[in-house]
Amino acid sequence: MSRSARSRSIGPLAWVIGLVLVVGGLVALFSLKPGSFLAKEWPLGIRASEVRTYAAWLDRRPVEVAGTIPDVYLFGGSKGRDSCLFQERAPGWRTRWFSTNGYADSVRMRPLTDGPGYRVKFKKKALYNGQRNVLLIPATVQDMRAKYMEVLASKLGLLTPEITFVHLASCGEEHAVYRKEERVDMAFLKRFGLENASLVEQGLDPTRPDRQFVEVKGDSAERVQLRGTVERAMAEVAAGRTDALAQLVDEDAAIAWLIMAWMDGRDLRREGLVLAHQWNTGKMIPIYQAPRKTVPMGSADKDPLAYNLLTPLLARRGFRARFDARLDALKAEAPELRAKFEALDKAWLPVLADAVSLPFAQTATRQIQFELFDIRLTKADAAAHYDRPLFAGPGHGALLAGVPVPAAPKPQVEQGEAVEDIAKRYKLSIQADTIYFPRGKYEIEEDLVLPDGYSVVFLQGARLFVAPDVSVVCQGDLHVRGTLRNPVFIRPMSEQEPYGTIALAGKGTERCEIAGLLISGGRGATIQGVRYEGMLSLHGAVRTRIRSSVVENAKEATAVRIDGGGVELDNVRFEDGAGTMLHIANAQGTVRNSSFSGAGEGTTIVSSRIAVLACSYTGMQVGLRADAASEVLIKGARSERNVNALVAEGLSILHVADNTFLRNQLVLRARTGSSGNGARVMLYTNEYVGNENDREVDGGSKVEQRDAIDGATLTAFGLEAPPVVKVPTRGRGRSRRSQ
């Protein structure tokens, strides 16, 4: 049998048929298979990212919205009884290999004890997106409500865990989409900059004896002290007085939390409260977590509640007025919120459609939005929702017998003998309620805690030499009355062994006036359970003024830390610090005519409104950083040879006007911070010379170019707006500066 040796050509029809078969097969494959099909481990070196790219081209399923591609969390085997994640049935922790986009490391994880899902714990030195603990729970379409609530809570300025949706894969098998939620714990507080805080939980169900008292996540001394303080406030509430409660709770955060708890339809008696207690300010900040379960409107609106830290505040006239005003402002923003929620639908509903049908998901989310906007937000009885009977649970009095409750505060604390002992030891002068450190040398060899109720004054020529790890704490007004010609010195006894801190521990009424201070050689300390980060730590003062002073050679994280109240710095020189030279938190005011030079960060501003005027930043890693919803004006500054001249993140607003930027590696970095939110920057007329890069702005941030700073902005920072001067148009010249 013979075969022809003549070659046979392939015609156009054969090519067309081949392409149709191949492309049609791929379209059918990617259109009919669920999205979870993409996350499996592929052979022959085929990467999952390549498969997802082809799916984006070839998936022809008819959908009304275009979704995002969720992260795939790939878990390896463990050395336990069950090697694959989805076969795991035994309780307890397992070590598994975890990988996703840009991250790969071993993690600890275990099944949840109160339902399906997993808890994942990352290493302290290998955090995932700044997070230590996350929960992975099988997602349903109702979890879109939780995503809506996260966005709304962030808009209201509340601390709230991040929620997103991911796919889980293990041993070549993938389960449906999971809801990933950050766990609220001490690592969560640290991510938001609340290192000097404790978690507090309080139940609202008066029928639960096991939730009679607040639970404090801290050491035994903290639990005893804080429980007693809360019980004193609850006793005042029972007597019809709320002043003690108002002093204990951050009222703005409380208003936002109460609005959210009304909007999300939670069962108050079931969910309870989670708060962060800041030891340096004594304030409680409620943390918002989306509820696991919602109840129909009216079904539990009048159920009694236990005495608690939030709902009794609505009995205060001023608090109630601010609550109503905040709710009205939210109503006015309803169209903007609807648009945000619709954007979330477009991003995530196709992802959730792997678990439920897309039409069903769309119908469910429309119903959720209808309830939020057309029922709850338009109701006039949001505050009435919390108007319920309050009482202590059964057996409360018997259980209270073991809790030391502090007495009602007195106007002044008697400390006569202790003050006399201190005065005798250091040869101080006491006049009425003031302790004076006259000119002379003082060697502080053990912690010196000056009593509450007394002002402390350092006079010209006073020289403090502080032993290693020893600190000085003032609990009343603090005055330093030196001059640059005749200053007050604070130094370590040994240059190689830093002391702790010089601190003011205020309660919101004290004043701090510092002039002519030369301070160096401290590193911060923890005293009586309270962390003082700075070499000079000023907490809880109603007003802090520092002028004509020199701060140098701080040994660790922070040179000067100011937390709370009004702030005014003028002609202060910061030098030779490796960490942050000036950290301002929860305050408002000005920093003028001051200079910063060293290897660390010049000025860090957190949750504050600060005007930085005519300052200089030289040779630093970061000149000025604005974070945590701060509003900062930097005007007339000179920034030279810094790695980053300006950094804005975390919902901060930065105004940049009339500054000079010389030979910086990067002038402006606007980015999404650890809280997951970007920043907004307004650039006015500035001068740029020899910088390597002018700006880096990520997708979550926004930069606007404007001509001139307006008077309203200056007034908002407490500055005088320039007078309006009419200039003749004829013959007028105008210089030009770089934009």
Side-chain angles (χ1 to χ4, degrees), residues 572-588:
V572 181
R573 192 165 76 241
F574 295 84
E575 297 177 344
D576 301 328
T580 301
M581 294 188 172
L582 174 62
H583 184 116
I584 300 176
N586 309 306
Q588 57 183 1

Side-chain angles (χ1 to χ4, degrees), residues 112 116-118 135-139 143 177-181 292:
L112 297 179
Y118 307 90
L135 305 177
L136 301 173
I137 304 167
D143 287 322
V177 63
Y178 276 64
R179 162 178 163 179
K180 191 211 82 172
E181 180 174 345
R292 300 292 183 196

